[in-house]
Amino acid sequence: GTRDEASFIFWRALGMAKEGSVNEALRECDVIVHRREVALPATAALLYYHKQAQKVDRDAVESLKAAMKREVGSATDHALLMAALFNAYTEQFGDARQYVQRVLDSVPTSVAHATKGWVEYLAGKSQGGFSSSKTVGPVIEKCEAAFNAAAAHEGGKQNVDALMGRVKVAEAKRQWQQALDLVNEVVVQFEWFVPGLIEKAKVLMQTADWEQAMETAQRITQLEADNIETLRLSILYSLAVEARKSTAAQQLQQLVQCLQTQEPRNPALWLSCSQLFARLACRDRSIINVTVSMLRRAMEMLGGRVTSVYLTELGYQQLLMGQINDAAQAYHQAIEKDNS
């Protein structure tokens, strides 16, 4: 339907913006901003993208701020919840909470409770709430209350967002068996839902049930031949469990091809893949050659915006290969970046 189509365009635009294509994201949202069902989130997105642009159009920003005031008053519940999620993904948590609360105060649906859960989850993650045992408790309590309310509400048993939220809560509490039971509910109800299967494989990996984790990975591959998460899991298995470095090196080349086609402008993902496998490679050159090339590819994407994190990682991987002078140079550049 038109609402689904407009929603798809809206979220695709956010993906473009996250990859650095802010102008493309602006064009996409311009197409849908006059559709009532997405007018509020699209206006919020246009305002955010304009502020992210290299050259900020002050007039556009002012007129969008005025439009926001108008839209907030007349927005539908669907539009408010979409705007809440958008604000959470762009780390504007105050507005996100406000929009969700408005819906919960008028019509507390399963979808509204689940949205509140995800807003709190993303806020906790962004603000480092999951990084220490001291802070994780209060964050998880808020998320859990919202996801449980969503599941208990009418239609909650069929709400995939509520179910996946409860999986994430169990994972954050390190209750792996409960996480597995919950994710199995998702997988049984929504057989087509690949993120559910990916989550199941990760939970199985946490419980060291590698056999079932790899079986689940096979299922994902049947649904999506070039799934990046499944490939990462397979390489992890080859390196950490089976210690088959030559197999891992081949799989790593396959991963690079998948990243080139699916994520050609996502330097953070290239960095995280490179970091993970460099640390598991036991200084194996055939693997570290690939992880260094992945890192260099990520740095090319960033151009002048390369941070010290990438340079420090390059230095570390060059040390693993015994390239002491190159490593020293990379570390020196990283320090210069931080000082500037």
Side-chain angles (χ1 to χ4, degrees), residues 304-329:
R305 294 174 296 130
V306 168
T307 62
S308 60
V309 174
Y310 290 81
L311 290 159
T312 306
E313 182 60 27
L314 179 62
Y316 174 75
Q317 293 193 24
Q318 286 169 331
L319 272 183
L320 291 179
M321 298 227 279
Q323 298 166 351
I324 310 295
N325 293 343
D326 291 340
Q329 193 181 348

Side-chain angles (χ1 to χ4, degrees), residues 40 42 99 104 120 156 177 186 213 233 301 323 329:
L40 175 67
Y99 294 152
L104 285 171
E120 293 303 341
Q177 189 51 52
V186 176
L233 204 63
M301 289 177 215
Q323 298 166 351
Q329 193 181 348

Side-chain angles (χ1 to χ4, degrees), residues 67-127:
M68 274 301 288
K69 283 179 185 155
R70 288 195 305 275
E71 290 302 338
V72 167
S74 62
T76 63
D77 290 346
H78 172 77
L80 282 162
L81 293 177
M82 246 177 114
L85 275 178
F86 174 81
N87 279 311
Y89 283 126
T90 51
E91 303 192 351
Q92 303 173 84
F93 299 109
D95 286 345
R97 288 186 175 112
Q98 203 180 324
Y99 294 152
V100 173
Q101 202 51 53
R102 216 179 100 185
V103 179
L104 285 171
D105 289 344
S106 63
V107 214
T109 57
S110 176
V111 174
H113 282 296
T115 305
K116 180 179 168 69
W118 284 110
V119 167
E120 293 303 341
Y121 181 85
L122 291 165
K125 202 173 170 189
S126 153
Q127 290 149 8

Side-chain angles (χ1 to χ4, degrees), residues 224-287:
E224 274 184 22
D226 292 330
N227 185 283
I228 288 170
E229 287 298 329
T230 315
L231 264 171
R232 276 162 53 125
L233 204 63
S234 303
I235 299 166
L236 198 56
Y237 182 67
S238 297
L239 285 174
V241 182
E242 297 199 312
R244 287 182 12 230
K245 288 178 194 154
S246 58
T247 306
Q250 287 170 340
Q251 290 167 325
L252 199 52
Q253 293 285 8
Q254 198 184 338
L255 176 64
V256 169
Q257 285 170 348
C258 289
L259 286 169
Q260 277 168 348
T261 40
Q262 295 172 45
E263 298 284 357
R265 293 187 291 194
N266 189 342
L269 181 59
W270 286 73
L271 169 70
S272 81
C273 291
S274 173
Q275 281 177 316
L276 173 63
F277 300 124
R279 277 150 187 73
L280 294 172
C282 300
R283 297 176 186 261
D284 184 281
R285 273 180 176 268
S286 65
I287 291 168

Side-chain angles (χ1 to χ4, degrees), residues 26-292:
L26 279 167
R27 279 196 292 275
E28 291 275 291
C29 282
D30 262 331
V31 174
I32 56 168
V33 75
H34 301 298
R35 296 195 191 177
R36 182 165 181 267
E37 67 274 19
V38 294
L40 175 67
T43 307
L46 283 170
L47 186 56
Y48 177 78
Y49 300 146
H50 267 293
K51 288 178 179 174
Q52 300 292 308
Q54 281 176 324
K55 195 166 173 239
V56 178
D57 180 342
R58 297 278 165 215
D59 294 342
V61 167
E62 286 313 311
S63 81
L64 284 163
K65 279 182 182 171
M68 274 301 288
K69 283 179 185 155
R70 288 195 305 275
E71 290 302 338
V72 167
S74 62
T76 63
D77 290 346
H78 172 77
L80 282 162
L81 293 177
M82 246 177 114
L85 275 178
F86 174 81
N87 279 311
Y89 283 126
T90 51
E91 303 192 351
Q92 303 173 84
F93 299 109
D95 286 345
R97 288 186 175 112
Q98 203 180 324
Y99 294 152
V100 173
Q101 202 51 53
R102 216 179 100 185
V103 179
L104 285 171
D105 289 344
S106 63
V107 214
T109 57
S110 176
V111 174
H113 282 296
T115 305
K116 180 179 168 69
W118 284 110
V119 167
E120 293 303 341
Y121 181 85
L122 291 165
K125 202 173 170 189
S126 153
Q127 290 149 8
F130 294 118
S131 54
S132 88
S133 53
K134 283 194 187 80
T135 52
V136 77
V139 173
I140 282 303
E141 271 172 34
K142 280 186 197 170
C143 301
E144 188 168 25
F147 289 131
N148 286 347
H153 230 278
E154 190 186 343
K157 294 279 180 280
Q158 290 81 43
N159 184 341
V160 70
D161 285 329
L163 288 168
M164 286 296 281
R166 293 175 78 197
V167 173
K168 284 290 185 192
V169 166
E171 286 176 10
K173 290 174 150 186
R174 310 192 80 71
Q175 294 172 347
W176 302 114
Q177 189 51 52
Q178 193 188 353
L180 190 58
D181 293 343
L182 288 163
V183 84
N184 276 330
E185 276 184 52
V186 176
V187 169
V188 169
Q189 271 200 71
F190 307 95
E191 290 176 18
W192 49 269
F193 188 60
V194 171
L197 286 166
I198 291 170
E199 210 57 47
K200 179 176 177 175
K202 287 179 178 175
V203 172
L204 286 163
M205 190 180 73
Q206 289 287 357
T207 60
D209 188 342
W210 280 99
E211 198 176 318
Q212 276 211 66
M214 295 318 292
E215 273 176 31
T216 307
Q218 269 313 112
R219 265 185 78 182
I220 299 166
T221 307
Q222 282 160 9
L223 291 167
E224 274 184 22
D226 292 330
N227 185 283
I228 288 170
E229 287 298 329
T230 315
L231 264 171
R232 276 162 53 125
L233 204 63
S234 303
I235 299 166
L236 198 56
Y237 182 67
S238 297
L239 285 174
V241 182
E242 297 199 312
R244 287 182 12 230
K245 288 178 194 154
S246 58
T247 306
Q250 287 170 340
Q251 290 167 325
L252 199 52
Q253 293 285 8
Q254 198 184 338
L255 176 64
V256 169
Q257 285 170 348
C258 289
L259 286 169
Q260 277 168 348
T261 40
Q262 295 172 45
E263 298 284 357
R265 293 187 291 194
N266 189 342
L269 181 59
W270 286 73
L271 169 70
S272 81
C273 291
S274 173
Q275 281 177 316
L276 173 63
F277 300 124
R279 277 150 187 73
L280 294 172
C282 300
R283 297 176 186 261
D284 184 281
R285 273 180 176 268
S286 65
I287 291 168
I288 295 182
N289 278 330
V290 183
T291 61
V292 168

